[in-house]
Amino acid sequence: MKKVLFVAAALLAGSAVFSVSYKNNTYQKLADEYTKKAQNALDAGEYELSVEYSQKAEENAALSQAYIKKMLAKAEADKAMKKASDRIAFAKKISADRNFPMAYSAAEQAYASAKDVYAKEDYVAATDYANQVLAALADIREVTPLPEYYVVRPWAETKDCYWNISGRTYVYNNPLLWENLYQANKQSMPKPNDPNLIHPGMKMKIPSITGEYREGVYNPAKKYDTYSAVASSRPVVNAKPAEAKSAEPKASEAKAEPAKAEQKSAAAPEKAEPAKTEQKQGSSLISNSAPASPSVSDAK
C-alpha cells in the first residue's frame, strides 16, 4: 500500500509540473482534469485509482509539451519563411535573377523545399531551408547592367580600336578577347575583312560571351561593375581570325586593332614588331600584338 501511495504521489507531482508549464490546449486541459481526479482519489484513499488518473495526467501533459514544442517550431518557421519570401521579392525587384543567377537559383530551390516540408509540418526543416534562402541572397545588390552597345569615338580622343575597347572593364576586361567584338560587328564595317577600320559614331554591339547580362548603350556617367567570366561556364567565342591588313586609319575613321588575337587565356602574347600589324612564324599567325600607333592624322 505504501508503494502504491508513493507512486501515486510521484505521478501526481510530475503531472502538476507539466500543468504549470503549458496552458490553453486540449491535452493540457485533460492533464489538469486528471490531476484533480488523481488528487481527489488520493485524498479519498483510493490509491490505485489515483495512480491510474495520475498516469493519464502525465500522458496528456507529455502530449501537451510536444504540442507546444511543435507550435513554437511553427512560429519560428513562419518568421523565417516570411523573411525568406521578402528577400526573394527584393531579389526579383533588383533583377538578381539576371545579375546573380546562381545565388537566385539556389534561393528559389531552397524556398521551394521550405514550402514542401512546411506543408508536411516539419517546421524545423522549413526554418533551416528558409535560412538557406537568406544565406544564398546575402550578397546580392542592385547593380547597373553591363552595356550591350558602345558608340565608337575618334582615335585622337579615346584610342578606340577593337583591342582597346575589349580591354575596358565594362566590356571584357581583356584586350585578347577583341575578336568577339569584331565577329559581332564586321558586317557593319565598310570593309568587313579589315578589322583595322572602324568609324567614329559606329554603334558597336558587345555580345555576351559568358552568359553575362547586358543592356543599353555605354554611358560614361554610369558606374559599371568590372566584367568577370568566373561565374559562367559558357565558352568564349574562339572563331579563327582572318589575317588583318596593315592599313593606316583614314582621316574619318578610328583605328581598330590591326591583328586578331588568338584567344588563349593561359599563354602570354607574343611581342610584335612596332611598325607591323601582323607577323608570321612558320605557318601560324602571331596575333596577340598590341596595335601600332597611327601614322596619319587622328580620326575626328
Side-chain angles (χ1 to χ4, degrees), residues 205-218:
K205 182 174 177 60
I206 307 171
S208 173
I209 59 173
T210 54
E212 76 279 9
Y213 178 76
R214 294 179 176 273
E215 71 175 21
V217 180
Y218 169 71

Side-chain angles (χ1 to χ4, degrees), residues 25-47:
N25 67 75
T26 301
Y27 300 117
Q28 189 59 52
K29 290 177 181 178
L30 288 172
D32 291 343
E33 290 180 9
Y34 281 120
T35 298
K36 291 178 182 178
K37 289 181 179 182
Q39 184 64 58
N40 291 335
L42 183 64
D43 293 342
E46 298 178 357
Y47 304 123

Side-chain angles (χ1 to χ4, degrees), residues 43-58:
D43 293 342
E46 298 178 357
Y47 304 123
E48 292 184 0
L49 184 59
S50 178
V51 170
E52 181 181 345
Y53 284 146
S54 295
Q55 289 174 337
K56 289 182 178 180
E58 186 178 34

Side-chain angles (χ1 to χ4, degrees), residues 142-155:
E142 191 168 5
V143 299
T144 301
L146 293 171
E148 185 180 7
Y149 295 96
Y150 176 83
V151 177
V152 177
R153 290 172 287 180
W155 171 268

Side-chain angles (χ1 to χ4, degrees), residues 34 53 70 111 192-193:
Y34 281 120
Y53 284 146
K70 181 179 179 180
Y111 191 65
N193 293 327

